[in-house]
Amino acid sequence: MDAHSRGRADDIDPADQWVLNPNTGNYELRLDHSAGESSSPSRTATAEGTGRRGGSRTGSSREGSGRRGSGSREREREEAPDGPRQVPGQRSRRSSQGGRGAAEPPSAGRRKRKPQKSRKKKALLWTGGVMAFVVVAGSAGAYALYQKLNGNIDAIDVGDAGSKNVVTDGPMNILIIGTDKRTGKGNEGYGDKGSEGHADTTILFHVSEDRTNATAMSIPRDLKTEIPECETKNEDGTTTVVPGTPNERFNTSLGQNGRDPGCTMRTVENITGLKPDHFMMVDFNAVKSLTSAVGGVKVCMAKPIDDPKSHLKLPQGESKVQGEQALALLRTRDSFGNRSDLDRIKVQQQFLGSMIREMKSSDTLTNPKKLYKLADAATDALTVDKAIGDARKLVTLAEEIGKVDTKNISFLTMPVIDNPAEPKPITVVVDPVKGEQLFAMMRSDTSLTEVKQKEKAAKGKQAALLKGPKAEAADVRVDVLNGGEIPGAAGATVNWLQNEQGVPKSTNKANAPEKIKKTTLEYAPNQADQARALAEMMGLPATAMKKGTADAEGLEAMVLTLGADFKGAGQLITGPAKPPKDIEKASADKAVCAQ
């Protein structure tokens, strides 16, 4: 998307009007001419009821004078408990922008209505950068600022490609797309002039169900894959179906043939079996504006960099980059490793980790002017799906994802190998072994950090159910029911078991009586060897094993009920406990020098 060029209605920069309230320790927005003074709760209230708009009260004698008795003071305390209040003039200006809930200024001599709780002192959570939503900075805010930031955001309807809910109870997947769209001021000199933009930098950000950890998996732009058929919404409300194409570069899942971010979301799901809930997209200008908003991002070079193509010059060791220099660092290929996109991805991951640390540093969190600029730049740069297309929803999402400690965010790259179909490989394909192992780990919500390994919770008697002899596939007898979300899952699983796993005694029992979250396998004690064999085939965790108390009789079959965690026939329900060997990963809390 293009960075917006919206004009400001105010002559005064709101960032200069933040002051420290000594009573609360919070920064508060003062939109009157006393912005330079430290405020107390009583001084931030306007002189309502007397017709004055900016006068401050400093003493008890003044509060008790005229028509204002003790009852009035009590009402005033109810109306302005702790936080700063909008002056009517500011709220009136914002109402012209079509903001929801903007109020008309009260007439002189008449008391304002008691404001709704949602308009009182409010903790606004600023998001910034390509990894913006993991950066949560608390600050006392104002409704007028919400209106302004809300007006910055662009949203796209991606239909059923994503989730309708802002957050989910289970794991969440957010697709971050850095597009190489060249239009817009300052971007004309980069690559193809007027390019529609492709998925140049793409990261699937998986947040665990318990919010203790997250995995950020980069997807190479030169990955050869199938791009499935997708629907896109037109401005006139109609829908266009873009045909799917096999053996395409991943980056053409956006921009090519009219594909929107929803097509990229569907492509990622097709590759990994992980359905993105939301997307966030930024363009070249976002890198420049966001790095400038935080005053630069620290980077470390293992050797001096002098790249004539990207015009990047950096000394050996640590330095700070922002604006054009930051963009040059993220785009250069020739300065690192074997000059491939895969080595550029490593540099991007290191940069994003450093940017997260900068945004969560005390220097940023305690600087109200920097926070405002960061929030303004971030929302101005973002294009998101319609489900999170306003500031309140982004705040809700940021609160949820912000629960993850930086040290538990792991960066890695999708496992790939050189494309075997090319005599001289230029593109890559998913590693058929390591790729599926990693995807299975993410689908089963297994942490790549040491924070909370799932297998530890399953130790003891439950884990022991998976240990012991296993029956031959031909001797496994199981009835399959569908208690998940995928239509026809039971039939597809039976076909897979019979045709690919050699389990002829498997039967499709259609839909379960009710939906369940987790897949279960019910079996009798004398069917334990069959249960272990089936668990190995399907990647069932120990927690899925439901052992009965009485032995099965005759030809009685086990009962497998597929839950919401079932992603498709042949896809392991639970991945391995550890990532595949040789998978390089980095933590967002550690600085690494780019090589």
Side-chain angles (χ1 to χ4, degrees):
M1 60 167 278
D2 292 328
H4 312 293
S5 301
R6 299 180 177 86
R8 267 58 171 182
D10 302 8
D11 293 327
I12 301 174
D13 183 355
D16 291 324
Q17 297 179 308
W18 292 84
V19 295
L20 179 67
N21 185 333
N23 293 342
T24 65
N26 290 330
Y27 283 99
E28 298 175 351
L29 183 67
R30 295 287 305 280
L31 297 176
D32 57 16
H33 294 296
S34 61
E37 303 172 7
S38 295
S39 63
S40 66
S42 64
R43 295 183 63 182
T44 58
T46 57
E48 305 157 11
T50 63
R52 291 175 295 164
R53 296 202 173 184
S56 61
R57 292 177 202 85
T58 57
S60 59
S61 62
R62 195 168 204 177
E63 290 180 355
S65 64
R67 289 174 292 171
R68 303 185 69 84
S70 60
S72 297
R73 288 197 301 273
E74 290 302 318
R75 284 192 295 272
E76 180 184 54
R77 291 191 189 99
E78 288 179 3
E79 292 176 357
D82 289 319
R85 171 173 304 181
Q86 324 283 309
V87 295
Q90 287 285 345
R91 204 166 51 238
S92 176
R93 279 200 296 273
R94 291 301 188 267
S95 67
S96 67
Q97 300 175 4
R100 288 190 289 275
E104 294 295 328
S107 59
R110 187 168 58 184
R111 182 181 305 280
K112 285 192 304 186
R113 290 183 301 173
K114 184 177 179 180
Q116 298 176 9
K117 287 185 178 181
S118 62
R119 298 187 189 180
K120 292 179 181 178
K121 173 180 167 185
K122 193 177 181 69
L124 292 182
L125 304 173
W126 312 133
T127 63
V130 179
M131 296 295 291
F133 47 90
V134 302
V135 184
V136 182
S139 175
Y143 185 68
L145 275 183
Y146 159 75
Q147 293 288 77
K148 168 153 188 340
L149 298 179
N150 196 50
N152 283 349
I153 303 166
D154 278 349
I156 293 176
D157 186 354
V158 295
D160 61 357
S163 172
K164 301 300 181 185
N165 300 319
V166 177
V167 299
T168 63
D169 293 334
M172 292 192 300
N173 298 303
I174 317 296
L175 193 65
I176 308 147
I177 305 171
T179 174
D180 59 354
K181 189 171 184 179
R182 268 77 172 177
T183 56
K185 184 178 179 181
N187 287 337
E188 299 86 350
Y190 296 113
D192 301 327
K193 184 176 181 180
S195 168
E196 288 296 321
H198 302 94
D200 188 62
T201 299
T202 307
I203 296 174
L204 181 60
F205 193 79
H206 173 85
V207 183
S208 68
E209 181 174 2
D210 59 13
R211 310 302 189 239
T212 63
N213 64 92
T215 300
M217 182 180 70
S218 295
I219 304 174
R221 54 166 291 163
D222 295 329
L223 176 74
K224 275 294 187 77
T225 187
E226 176 188 2
I227 299 178
E229 177 182 285
C230 62
E231 292 184 351
T232 61
K233 303 287 185 178
N234 303 316
E235 292 184 1
D236 60 3
T238 60
T239 299
T240 298
V241 177
V242 182
T245 52
N247 202 32
E248 288 273 2
R249 285 183 191 244
F250 173 82
N251 69 332
T252 62
S253 64
L254 176 68
Q256 194 85 3
N257 301 323
R259 295 185 179 110
D260 67 9
C263 298
T264 307
M265 296 170 77
R266 288 182 172 92
T267 302
V268 169
E269 183 179 5
N270 191 54
I271 296 170
T272 66
L274 291 152
K275 181 181 176 67
D277 296 291
H278 304 291
F279 84 87
M280 292 184 172
M281 183 170 69
V282 295
D283 71 355
F284 284 168
N285 279 332
V287 175
K288 294 185 282 187
S289 62
L290 290 165
T291 53
S292 297
V294 296
V297 175
K298 290 181 181 179
V299 295
C300 181
M301 302 294 113
K303 61 182 180 180
I305 302 298
D306 187 355
D307 183 1
K309 290 185 178 180
S310 65
H311 309 292
L312 176 65
K313 291 186 178 182
L314 289 174
Q316 182 177 357
E318 190 176 275
S319 56
K320 268 196 171 187
V321 295
Q322 62 179 296
E324 291 284 351
Q325 194 178 34
L327 180 59
L329 173 63
L330 295 183
R331 298 193 69 245
T332 185
R333 291 192 187 202
D334 293 339
S335 301
F336 307 106
N338 61 7
R339 302 182 177 182
S340 70
D341 184 52
L342 298 179
D343 286 300
R344 182 177 68 159
I345 285 174
K346 294 177 184 177
V347 176
Q348 291 171 346
Q349 293 172 348
Q350 293 162 9
F351 176 87
L352 291 174
S354 181
M355 192 170 187
I356 291 172
R357 294 192 296 274
E358 181 64 36
M359 290 176 179
K360 299 190 82 169
S361 69
S362 59
D363 182 52
T364 299
L365 300 186
T366 59
N367 187 326
K369 188 166 185 175
K370 186 180 285 189
L371 282 174
Y372 172 79
K373 288 182 177 179
L374 179 58
D376 190 30
T379 52
D380 199 45
L382 282 176
T383 297
V384 299
D385 58 282
K386 195 173 180 180
I388 54 172
D390 71 51
R392 277 199 186 98
K393 292 176 179 178
L394 282 174
V395 165
T396 300
L397 184 62
E399 283 181 313
E400 193 71 8
I401 301 174
K403 296 174 183 177
V404 181
D405 194 309
T406 306
K407 69 182 180 180
N408 295 326
I409 301 174
S410 297
F411 287 100
L412 49 80
T413 303
M414 176 183 288
V416 294
I417 58 174
D418 288 339
N419 189 348
E422 296 172 344
K424 186 177 180 180
I426 299 174
T427 61
V428 295
V429 296
V430 176
D431 186 309
V433 177
K434 296 179 181 178
E436 177 52 36
Q437 288 177 341
L438 178 61
F439 304 156
M441 281 191 72
M442 295 174 71
R443 289 194 299 265
S444 64
D445 200 27
T446 302
S447 173
L448 271 73
T449 69
E450 295 299 323
V451 85
K452 186 180 179 182
Q453 296 291 356
K454 299 286 184 181
E455 70 274 11
K456 292 180 181 179
K459 282 184 177 179
K461 292 183 179 180
Q462 193 68 22
L465 296 177
L466 294 175
K467 297 179 180 180
K470 300 177 181 66
E472 295 294 329
D475 296 327
V476 173
R477 190 182 299 272
V478 60
D479 292 339
V480 183
L481 292 87
N482 184 13
E485 304 295 331
I486 302 175
T493 299
V494 168
N495 287 337
W496 175 76
L497 286 171
Q498 291 179 350
N499 298 324
E500 298 189 33
Q501 299 299 308
V503 184
K505 300 171 185 175
S506 51
T507 307
N508 176 10
K509 293 295 184 178
N511 292 330
E514 60 183 4
K515 301 289 185 182
I516 60 174
K517 287 187 176 182
K518 302 291 185 180
T519 297
T520 61
L521 176 60
E522 299 172 68
Y523 64 98
N526 61 341
Q527 295 172 324
D529 58 342
Q530 297 181 49
R532 287 190 285 265
L534 186 64
E536 184 177 60
M537 295 176 201
M538 300 193 62
L540 296 178
T543 52
M545 310 293 281
K546 307 299 179 185
K547 184 178 179 180
T549 56
D551 283 346
E553 297 181 1
L555 301 179
E556 185 178 350
M558 301 182 294
V559 178
L560 174 69
T561 305
L562 305 174
D565 56 348
F566 176 79
K567 302 305 178 184
Q571 296 188 27
L572 298 179
I573 291 176
T574 297
K578 296 181 180 180
K581 292 181 179 179
D582 305 323
I583 293 287
E584 293 185 34
K585 63 186 182 77
S587 174
D589 70 326
K590 295 179 180 178
V592 180
C593 290
Q595 300 184 13

